Amino acid sequence: ANRLVDKEERYREIVEGTENLVTEVDSDGRFIFVNEASKGVFGLESSECLGKFAFDFIHPDDRDETQRNFLKWIQKQETTVSYENRQVSRSGTIRNMIWSIKINYDDQGKVISIRSIARDITEHKKTEEALRASEESLRGLFRALPLGVGTIKNRVVTSANERMGEITGYPPDEIIGQETRK
């Protein structure tokens, strides 16, 4: 019995000690368990989340699609799913989350509960977006330069702007992929 208590305590420490959100909802979609990470994601103590409808925390723009996907997963009797959406806290803070979802069914195929672990990828998304914007800005500059500009990797042309095409007499898409001289 003592080993069982130790094991249970170890699991509790892992679940409560992680920065990831750990949840369990019943077949109606209401929280029956939420770890302490709920404070950072939902702005609520874990005990305040119990009984609340999980879909209420999904960003309004993502809610319908998430609900449609849940119905599809249950219809197909999926047991494990990975999914990404946005959550909104009580104060309106939006978090991008990636979910690992485990759907538990009874012998008749009816949902018993849904257990999930979600990682907050908000900062990762912001970094990705900033990088994409920076690349787009550089692409625009590259295209607009009055100079003929191109890039070469391993002696093969990997990019060329319109001006390079005018200078060489070949369209940029014909220059790309050509091998350069030694």
Side-chain angles (χ1 to χ4, degrees):
N2 201 19
R3 282 182 36 206
L4 186 60
V5 170
D6 290 344
K7 190 174 185 180
E8 198 172 303
E9 185 60 32
R10 187 169 45 245
Y11 283 118
R12 188 182 282 67
E13 285 176 8
I14 290 169
V15 168
E16 292 302 345
T18 182
E19 59 189 31
N20 293 331
L21 180 66
V22 179
T23 68
E24 184 174 14
V25 297
D26 63 17
S27 59
D28 295 326
R30 298 193 178 278
F31 287 118
I32 54 178
F33 175 82
V34 181
N35 72 342
E36 292 300 317
S38 63
K39 286 183 251 182
V41 179
F42 303 136
L44 298 170
E45 296 291 331
S46 58
S47 59
E48 294 178 275
C49 295
L50 300 180
K52 290 196 175 15
F53 194 50
F55 287 104
D56 289 346
F57 294 96
I58 297 173
H59 190 285
D61 295 347
D62 295 355
R63 194 172 296 145
D64 288 346
E65 184 183 348
T66 301
Q67 286 179 311
R68 275 195 305 275
N69 281 314
F70 255 91
L71 292 173
K72 192 172 16 167
W73 301 331
I74 290 166
Q75 196 174 32
K76 291 180 172 181
Q77 294 280 294
E78 300 277 357
T79 53
T80 56
V81 179
S82 181
Y83 192 70
E84 192 177 312
N85 66 11
R86 292 171 293 172
Q87 301 289 301
V88 182
S89 75
R90 177 167 54 182
S91 66
T93 303
I94 298 169
R95 300 251 168 245
N96 294 81
M97 307 295 286
I98 188 151
W99 296 84
S100 293
I101 302 165
K102 170 83 171 83
I103 307 171
N104 303 298
Y105 302 90
D106 66 13
D107 295 340
Q108 282 75 49
K110 191 171 177 278
V111 174
I112 300 169
S113 69
I114 300 164
R115 296 180 181 143
S116 305
I117 298 173
R119 188 165 42 92
D120 185 339
I121 57 169
T122 306
E123 291 308 311
H124 175 75
K125 285 281 195 187
K126 285 180 186 172
T127 303
E128 226 174 45
E129 189 52 45
L131 182 61
R132 196 173 7 264
S134 176
E135 286 175 350
E136 195 55 42
S137 174
L138 283 173
R139 251 192 301 282
L141 179 64
F142 180 78
R143 284 192 296 269
L145 279 172
L147 307 169
V149 179
T151 57
I152 297 170
K153 183 177 182 179
N154 298 329
R155 292 188 20 223
V156 174
V157 178
T158 56
S159 67
N161 68 357
E162 288 296 322
R163 182 69 182 124
M164 180 64 81
E166 291 168 11
I167 292 167
T168 62
Y170 296 99
D173 59 343
E174 285 184 28
I175 299 168
I176 297 169
Q178 297 298 316
E179 197 168 324
T180 60
R181 296 187 185 130
K182 292 185 179 182

